[in-house]
C-alpha cells in the first residue's frame, strides 16, 4: 500500500511539473511580447508582424498609425487635397498693384510686377504685343501668357485669366487687381502640381478699352488649339450684407437667391455646362482635413469660408442678355470655346465701380479669399477631369 501511494505521489508531482512548464512557456512569453509591443508603439518604432502575437490563436497586430498626430494627418492630407489659398499673399498682391494702371507707363509697371512674380514661381511668362485700330487712333497693348505643360498632350488645356489694366481715374483694387491676385496665387499653388491637362495663364491688357486684349488673344489660333475651357475673373473681392444692396439686370434666366451681395456669380454659356458644373461643386470639394481641423481649431489646416455660388447658364451666347458680355470671357464664346466669368457682379453690387474709391480697404477679405479658393477648387477639378 505504501509503495502504491509513493508511485501515486510521484505521478502527481510529474503532472504538476509538466503543467508549470507549459504555463511558463506559453503564457509568460506572450505577456512579455505584449509589453514590448506597447513600448514600441509608444515610441513609433515599426514592428514586424511575425514578432508579435506568436500564438496563432490571435491575429497579427500592425502598428500603422494608432498614435498619428493631427500635424501628421495635416501633412499627409495636404499632399492629396486641393491646395489652400493664402489670404496674406492675395492681399499682398493687391497692395503691390494699388495704383492706376491706365497709361502705357502705368501698365508697364504692372506687367513688370506680374512677370517678376511668375518668374519667382518658376513660370516663363511671354509678352505678346498687339495693335488695334479704334477710329483715328491705334492702341498698342501687351498680354502676358504662360503655361505649365500637362503630362498628356491629348488631354487639352485649361486657361485661367484676368485683365490688369484700369480706367484712367481708378486704382482698380476690385477691378481688377483681385482677378490678377487670384491668378498669381493659382500660379503658386498649381505651378508644380502635375496634371494630365496643361494649365495656362493669361493677363489681358486694355480690357477697359473694349476687351482688346482678349480679342487679340483669340485671333492667335495657336492659343485655341487643344483649349478645353477658360476661367476669367473680373472683380471678385467685394461683398455687401445689407438688404437691397444687390441688383440684377433684367432678362436673366434665373431666380435670384438673395438681394444681398454675399455670393459669387459664375456666368457661362449654356453650350458648355461642365465648366459651370465644376464651380457648382466647388463649395463641397473641401477635404476631410478641413472638417477635422475645425474640430480642433487648427490654424495649420484651416481653410477660408466659401461664399455661395450662383451659376448662370446663358443661352444664345448672351445675345438676349448683353450685360453678361462685358468682360474677357465673351470673345471665347464667339470662338466656340467654353468660358466662364467669375465676378462679384461689379456695379450691380459695389458703389466703388470705376471710381477712385476702388481701393483695397473697401474689399471684404473673407469673401475675396473664399472666392479665390473656389476658383482654385474648380480649376483643380477641371485639370483632373
Amino acid at each position: 500500500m505504501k509503495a502504491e501511494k509513493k508511485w501515486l505521489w510521484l505521478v502527481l508531482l510529474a503532472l504538476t511539473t509538466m503543467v508549470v512548464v507549459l504555463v511558463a512557456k506559453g503564457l509568460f512569453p506572450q505577456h512579455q511580447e505584449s509589453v514590448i509591443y506597447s513600448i514600441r508603439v509608444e515610441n513609433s518604432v515599426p514592428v514586424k508582424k511575425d514578432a508579435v502575437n506568436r500564438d496563432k490563436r490571435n491575429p497579427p497586430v500592425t502598428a500603422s498609425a494608432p498614435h498619428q498626430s493631427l500635424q501628421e494627418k495635416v501633412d499627409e492630407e495636404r499632399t492629396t487635397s486641393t491646395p489652400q489659398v493664402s489670404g496674406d499673399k492675395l492681399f499682398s498682391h493687391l497692395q503691390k498693384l494699388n495704383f492706376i494702371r491706365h497709361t502705357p507707363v502705368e501698365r508697364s509697371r504692372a506687367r513688370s510686377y506680374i512677370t517678376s512674380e511668375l518668374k519667382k514661381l518658376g513660370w516663363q511668362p511671354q509678352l505678346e504685343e498687339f495693335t488695334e485700330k479704334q477710329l483715328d487712333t491705334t492702341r498698342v497693348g501687351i498680354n502676358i501668357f504662360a503655361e505649365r505643360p500637362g503630362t498628356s498632350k491629348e488631354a487639352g488645356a485649361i486657361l485661367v485669366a484676368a485683365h490688369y489694366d484700369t480706367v484712367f481715374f481708378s486704382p482698380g483694387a476690385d477691378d481688377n487687381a483681385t482677378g490678377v491676385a487670384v491668378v498669381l496665387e493659382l500660379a503658386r499653388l498649381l505651378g508644380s502640381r502635375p496634371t494630365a491637362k496643361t494649365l495656362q495663364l493669361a493677363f489681358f491688357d486694355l480690357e477697359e478699352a473694349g476687351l482688346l486684349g482678349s480679342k487679340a488673344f483669340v485671333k492667335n489660333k495657336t492659343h485655341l488649339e487643344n483649349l478645353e475651357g477658360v476661367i476669367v475673373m473680373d472683380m471678385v473681392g467685394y461683398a455687401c450684407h445689407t438688404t437691397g444692396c444687390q441688383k440684377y439686370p433684367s432678362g436673366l434666366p434665373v431666380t435670384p437667391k438673395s438681394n444681398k451681395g454675399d455670393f459669387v456669380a459664375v456666368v457661362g454659356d449654356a453650350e458648355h455646362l461642365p465648366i459651370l458644373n465644376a464651380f457648382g461643386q466647388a463649395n463641397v470639394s473641401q477635404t476631410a482635413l478641413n472638417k477635422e481641423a475645425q474640430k480642433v481649431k487648427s490654424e495649420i489646416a484651416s481653410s477660408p469660408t466659401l461664399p455661395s455660388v450662383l451659376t448662370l447658364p446663358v443661352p444664345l451666347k448672351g445675345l438676349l442678355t448683353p450685360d453678361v458680355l462685358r468682360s474677357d470671357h465673351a470673345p471665347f464664346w464667339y470662338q466656340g470655346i467654353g468660358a466662364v466669368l467669375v465676378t462679384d457682379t461689379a456695379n450691380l453690387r459695389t458703389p466703388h465701380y470705376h471710381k477712385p474709391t476702388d481701393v483695397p480697404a473697401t474689399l471684404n477679405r473673407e469673401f475675396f479669399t473664399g472666392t479665390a479658393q473656389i476658383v482654385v477648387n474648380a480649376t483643380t477639378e477641371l485639370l483632373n477631369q
Side-chain angles (χ1 to χ4, degrees):
M1 180 66 71
K2 291 182 178 181
E4 292 177 357
K5 288 183 177 180
K6 181 178 180 180
W7 281 107
L8 179 60
W9 283 108
L10 290 173
V11 170
L12 291 173
L13 181 60
L15 291 173
T16 302
T17 302
M18 292 175 63
V19 170
V20 171
V21 171
L22 290 174
V23 170
K25 288 184 176 182
L27 297 180
F28 182 73
Q30 181 180 3
H31 174 70
Q32 183 184 42
E33 290 185 0
S34 297
V35 173
I36 294 173
Y37 169 71
S38 65
I39 293 174
R40 285 174 177 169
V41 171
E42 292 295 335
N43 289 278
S44 301
V45 177
V47 181
K48 294 182 179 180
K49 292 181 181 180
D50 58 358
V52 182
N53 292 333
R54 290 179 181 171
D55 190 339
K56 294 182 179 180
R57 293 173 297 176
N58 296 325
V61 178
T62 59
S64 56
H67 295 272
Q68 188 180 25
S69 67
L70 176 61
Q71 175 65 64
E72 291 170 332
K73 291 179 181 178
V74 168
D75 293 340
E76 179 181 347
E77 194 71 28
R78 277 191 179 281
T79 62
T80 57
S81 63
T82 302
Q84 303 294 289
V85 303
S86 166
D88 290 341
K89 292 185 182 300
L90 287 168
F91 267 80
S92 175
H93 293 313
L94 292 187
Q95 295 297 340
K96 297 293 178 57
L97 292 168
N98 189 25
F99 57 92
I100 296 174
R101 304 177 297 279
H102 180 74
T103 68
V105 172
E106 293 163 346
R107 294 182 351 255
S108 176
R109 178 183 169 190
R111 281 195 303 273
S112 295
Y113 176 75
I114 294 169
T115 55
S116 175
E117 291 299 301
L118 289 174
K119 289 176 181 178
K120 290 178 185 177
L121 297 170
W123 293 76
Q124 297 179 344
Q126 303 172 15
L127 300 182
E128 300 182 345
E129 184 175 314
F130 62 90
T131 59
E132 184 73 24
K133 290 185 177 181
Q134 291 184 324
L135 300 178
D136 296 331
T137 63
T138 299
R139 301 294 301 270
V140 178
I142 300 177
N143 292 331
I144 305 170
F145 178 74
E147 69 176 355
R148 183 224 65 197
T151 58
S152 172
K153 293 182 179 180
E154 292 75 27
I158 298 296
L159 172 68
V160 184
H163 76 86
Y164 66 88
D165 62 310
T166 69
V167 293
F168 72 93
F169 47 80
S170 175
D174 194 22
D175 186 14
N176 185 33
T178 53
V180 172
V182 176
V183 179
L184 289 174
E185 178 67 349
L186 189 140
R188 180 182 73 86
L189 295 174
L190 301 182
S192 60
R193 191 181 180 97
T195 57
K197 286 187 174 67
T198 294
L199 173 60
Q200 298 178 338
L201 310 177
F203 301 83
F204 297 131
D205 197 1
L206 297 179
E207 186 268 355
E208 300 291 2
L211 314 182
L212 300 187
S214 54
K215 288 178 179 178
F217 187 88
V218 299
K219 288 180 181 178
N220 185 343
K221 299 306 179 183
T222 59
H223 284 320
L224 305 183
E225 294 176 359
N226 222 22
L227 188 56
E228 296 289 328
V230 181
I231 298 170
V232 171
M233 283 164 288
D234 196 351
M235 306 183 64
V236 291
Y238 188 86
C240 61
H241 302 282
T242 58
T243 301
C245 67
Q246 178 69 54
K247 303 296 189 294
Y248 296 89
S250 60
L252 285 181
V254 66
T255 301
K257 293 182 178 181
S258 170
N259 58 5
K260 296 180 181 180
D262 53 3
F263 61 89
V264 57
V266 183
V267 183
D269 69 298
E271 299 174 11
H272 298 89
L273 294 179
I275 307 178
L276 278 175
N277 293 339
F279 278 89
Q281 293 298 318
N283 275 29
V284 295
S285 65
Q286 297 297 295
T287 65
L289 168 68
N290 298 326
K291 294 180 181 180
E292 184 167 4
Q294 290 172 3
K295 293 179 183 177
V296 297
K297 297 182 180 180
S298 168
E299 295 182 359
I300 299 172
S302 62
S303 63
T305 301
L306 305 187
S308 61
V309 176
L310 174 65
T311 55
L312 180 62
V314 177
L316 302 176
K317 300 187 184 300
L319 292 177
L320 303 179
T321 50
D323 264 325
V324 303
L325 299 175
R326 292 165 47 189
S327 193
D328 288 315
H329 63 293
F332 291 94
W333 284 8
Y334 292 104
Q335 295 295 326
I337 303 295
V340 297
L341 169 66
V342 184
T343 180
D344 59 22
T345 74
N347 57 303
L348 296 173
R349 177 184 303 179
T350 175
H352 307 290
Y353 177 71
H354 284 186
K355 293 181 179 180
T357 54
D358 185 7
V359 295
T362 63
L363 302 182
N364 185 299
R365 183 186 181 97
E366 182 179 24
F367 176 83
F368 177 37
T369 307
T371 300
Q373 187 63 59
I374 287 175
V375 173
V376 171
N377 290 353
T379 303
T380 302
E381 174 68 21
L382 290 169
L383 287 171
N384 290 325
Q385 285 181 357

